Amino acid sequence: MTKKIIMAIFAILISNIGLAITNEEIISQGAAIQKAIFDKHFNKTPSGTSRKDSNLLNSVFPEIITNLDKINRNIYDREFNKLASAKENSRKSLFRKMYVQFNEYIVENSKFSRSIFSNFLQEKDDLQAYLYTNIYLSIEAFNLNMNTYLEGQKNSETIEPNIKTVIDYLYYNGDEKSKEDYQKMSNGEIAEIVDKEYIKLYEALEKRISEGNHVEKKMGNNARTSLKKMEKFYRQYDKSFEEYIDGSGLKKEDKEKIKKLVKFENIASLKFMTKSLEKLEGEESGQ
């Protein structure tokens, strides 16, 4: 029965692509899929099983991510085929490149986050939850970004509320900037914050490496290399996303609003990872 519920929700998500749907609805439907998958696996476990049980989560998380990947792939296929039908070859090539770069960024983000969470996260019981949260939100962002753009092409009045939903949803609690600040910022201003957040993450990683034991230093060096790759792939994806939006028929001011999305989402992810590298008060050095 639970599987039927999951497939029904998934079918609704897929069928809604191309129809008017808000980012808020996408997030709600995604949450429903997550709950249905979790309940399906949890109900099969012996009585008394913890909801943090590693075997349970190892079954739940991959299925959720796989479903999300399918949704994103469907969005890609529809847009790519639409561009092909319209014989917009240069735009089709750019979109394909952007999608490849997005996936390269996700893969490296996953490698880096697994490396730092596995080696430096203080609350080891939360390892899988940290990994899952970071990757799920990063993948889901593609869906939200494309929906903002596609719905904005049909009706520009949807752009502002859809962007507000993304900011409300992914805003990092504890950020010195408010949600309203981000909504008012220009694309360039947010780009400057991204640069600063990468510096903070590099510094936090270097601090943990310098304080770590032999194993942590070795793993930290690998994480450093992965972080450089992750930043490179992010910047490539962000650049292509900007070019794709700039090549659309949207008004200039609407383009500038949408182009901020990838940067804002990256800021939230970077802050999350930087925070995870902090030591708990009173923790002894690994040296």
Side-chain angles (χ1 to χ4, degrees), residues 79 82-83 88 90-92 94-95 98 145-156 159 239-259:
E79 180 70 358
K82 184 177 73 174
L83 293 169
E88 296 186 55
S90 60
R91 195 155 167 74
K92 181 183 69 174
L94 174 59
F95 184 64
M98 181 188 81
N145 295 346
M146 286 302 299
N147 188 66
T148 303
Y149 159 66
L150 293 171
E151 292 304 315
Q153 283 193 309
K154 302 172 191 174
N155 180 2
S156 62
I159 293 175
K239 182 175 182 292
S240 293
F241 181 76
E242 286 201 351
E243 290 175 359
Y244 192 71
I245 298 302
D246 277 335
S248 72
L250 294 171
K251 295 178 182 178
K252 182 178 179 180
E253 57 267 31
D254 289 333
K255 291 177 182 179
E256 291 303 304
K257 292 175 185 177
I258 295 175
K259 288 191 299 186

Side-chain angles (χ1 to χ4, degrees), residues 74 78 88-89 94 99 101 109 111 120 135 173 175 192 194 202 220 230 235 238 251 260-261 267 270 275 277 280 286:
N74 191 277
R78 289 191 180 220
E88 296 186 55
N89 294 328
L94 174 59
Y99 187 68
Q101 290 167 339
N109 185 314
K111 289 179 182 178
F120 301 116
I135 295 305
N173 290 328
D175 193 328
E192 290 178 3
V194 172
Y202 276 110
M230 184 184 80
R235 294 194 183 281
D238 181 53
K251 295 178 182 178
K260 296 192 300 184
L261 285 174
I267 289 170
L270 292 171
K275 184 67 177 179
L277 284 169
L280 295 176

Side-chain angles (χ1 to χ4, degrees), residues 92-109:
K92 181 183 69 174
S93 296
L94 174 59
F95 184 64
R96 177 168 50 199
K97 181 175 74 171
M98 181 188 81
Y99 187 68
V100 169
Q101 290 167 339
F102 165 74
N103 282 294
E104 287 176 332
Y105 164 68
I106 291 298
V107 169
E108 204 58 50
N109 185 314

Side-chain angles (χ1 to χ4, degrees), residues 255-286:
K255 291 177 182 179
E256 291 303 304
K257 292 175 185 177
I258 295 175
K259 288 191 299 186
K260 296 192 300 184
L261 285 174
V262 172
K263 296 176 182 64
F264 173 76
E265 291 151 359
N266 198 235
I267 289 170
S269 179
L270 292 171
K271 284 183 175 292
F272 179 69
M273 289 188 281
T274 299
K275 184 67 177 179
S276 74
L277 284 169
E278 291 183 3
K279 281 191 172 184
L280 295 176
E281 187 176 351
E283 181 199 1
E284 294 182 0
S285 171

